[in-house]
Amino acid sequence: GAFFVAMGERIAQLRKAHKVTQVQLAEALGGSQQTLQSYEVGRRRILVLALPTVAHTLSVSLDELFGESKPRNA
């Protein structure tokens, strides 16, 4: 689905912004660089359980990872 394509693009964008390589992020997730590349282009679906590890490795919050970086009104 579209969610996974958008999430992959977002991971790629944040990864580059934080100067983390595909290999570094793949290692943090316990997978291969090819698998990570598949996530980023939306060919494979990243496990939702892996998202906190992605956020931690990229030094971003889960909100940022989900593209919700705008402050919310309480």
Side-chain angles (χ1 to χ4, degrees):
F3 169 81
F4 290 97
V5 173
M7 180 55 71
E9 285 171 3
R10 190 114 187 98
I11 290 169
Q13 211 177 359
L14 289 166
R15 183 179 57 70
K16 289 169 191 157
H18 290 268
K19 299 191 173 23
V20 174
T21 67
Q22 281 187 336
V23 172
Q24 287 169 320
L25 186 51
E27 282 174 0
L29 293 170
S32 70
Q33 188 237 334
Q34 283 96 330
T35 301
L36 184 74
Q37 195 173 18
S38 294
Y39 294 152
E40 290 188 354
V41 298
R43 240 195 336 264
R44 289 179 69 166
R45 294 175 167 211
I46 190 162
L47 293 174
V48 174
L49 290 174
L51 296 177
T53 303
V54 172
H56 176 76
T57 306
L58 301 181
S59 307
V60 298
S61 67
L62 278 170
D63 280 351
E64 276 180 275
L65 191 59
F66 281 97
E68 296 172 15
S69 49
K70 297 177 202 82
R72 291 205 189 106
N73 296 331

